[in-house]
Amino acid sequence: PKGHSVVFIKNGSKHLSLNKIPVTAGGKKLTRKEWTKFDKKVPNAEFLCLNKRHDALFCLTTDYENMTIRVSVVILNKSVKKESKVVFVKQWEDFDFEELGYPASGFWPKAISMCYLRDKNYVVVGIQKHLFIIGENPNEKYDYYTYYLGHTTCLLYDIAEHPRKKNAIVAVDGVIKNCKLYEINIL
């Protein structure tokens, strides 16, 4: 959002920032890279994921006015002096929610989340109890495809790559007071 800085720690020694607001973090060894030139407006993201090459930043955005959830990717140029590209990847609209079995009018998902699976180079998006995969074409950089992964038994308020298990995520199904943690095998 305006007036805030987004910071990523990369290998514990560098950070990436998407705007010019000064950020104080780390010691003297911390180097700073700021990308400020983009070919389009950078989306106001609710969730962010950085790929394993650290050259593509995925942004999940919700738009209540148009009843859409969008995923875009910022392809970070190696040089901060050159323009980075903002590319639209996928959009879910109200009719997509109907196809998933939700009411035709007045429905908006209360559980939306996103995480990154490093081993598979996948972004996983959770909407209510449904999982979607965004993958990169192995033959062409920055060529993305999406598909529906399946239905879960829990609401996906937050998801993350499983810390010890490949091809699995952990999911939180509620608010802090009464939440449960689930392990979900992906592939």
Side-chain angles (χ1 to χ4, degrees):
K2 286 185 178 177
H4 291 82
S5 185
V6 178
V7 178
F8 296 93
I9 303 301
K10 176 182 175 183
N11 296 332
S13 63
K14 296 181 180 181
H15 78 271
L16 318 174
S17 178
L18 290 183
N19 60 27
K20 293 182 180 181
I21 295 173
V23 177
T24 305
K28 292 179 180 178
K29 292 182 181 178
L30 189 70
T31 58
R32 182 185 183 116
K33 276 188 161 182
E34 292 188 21
W35 283 267
T36 57
K37 297 178 182 178
F38 303 95
D39 66 341
K40 297 178 189 135
K41 185 180 180 238
V42 177
N44 287 334
E46 292 180 32
F47 293 93
L48 299 167
C49 293
L50 193 62
N51 72 350
K52 67 181 175 183
R53 292 188 313 260
H54 298 160
D55 61 358
L57 176 71
F58 292 87
C59 308
L60 186 139
T61 307
T62 55
D63 181 352
Y64 299 107
E65 289 179 20
N66 298 312
M67 299 293 282
T68 60
I69 298 169
R70 293 177 60 116
V71 174
S72 300
V73 62
V74 179
I75 299 169
L76 300 168
N77 197 309
K78 287 183 181 181
S79 169
V80 295
K81 295 178 181 176
K82 294 182 180 176
E83 193 172 73
S84 294
K85 293 184 179 184
V86 178
V87 179
F88 167 76
V89 177
K90 173 72 176 165
Q91 178 169 294
W92 292 271
E93 298 179 353
D94 54 354
F95 64 83
D96 295 313
F97 305 140
E98 290 174 44
E99 289 177 8
L100 296 173
Y102 297 107
S105 63
F107 173 79
W108 181 255
K110 59 183 174 180
I112 302 167
S113 52
M114 182 172 73
C115 73
Y116 183 73
L117 295 177
R118 289 173 293 194
D119 285 342
K120 294 287 185 181
N121 195 23
Y122 286 160
V123 173
V124 181
V125 176
I127 300 175
Q128 283 294 100
K129 294 183 175 184
H130 302 275
L131 288 169
F132 301 87
I133 293 288
I134 298 171
E136 185 175 24
N137 179 346
N139 300 322
E140 190 175 338
K141 270 183 158 181
Y142 314 121
D143 179 28
Y144 299 101
Y145 60 90
T146 64
Y147 64 90
Y148 177 68
L149 185 62
H151 185 270
T152 65
T153 57
C154 63
L155 287 171
L156 302 165
Y157 278 93
D158 200 5
I159 58 177
E161 181 177 32
H162 197 289
R164 293 182 302 277
K165 201 171 180 184
K166 287 186 177 185
N167 301 326
I169 61 173
V170 289
V172 176
D173 79 341
V175 293
I176 294 172
K177 194 173 186 181
N178 296 317
C179 69
K180 293 178 187 167
L181 185 66
Y182 293 85
E183 181 179 292
I184 301 169
N185 292 318
I186 297 294
L187 305 166

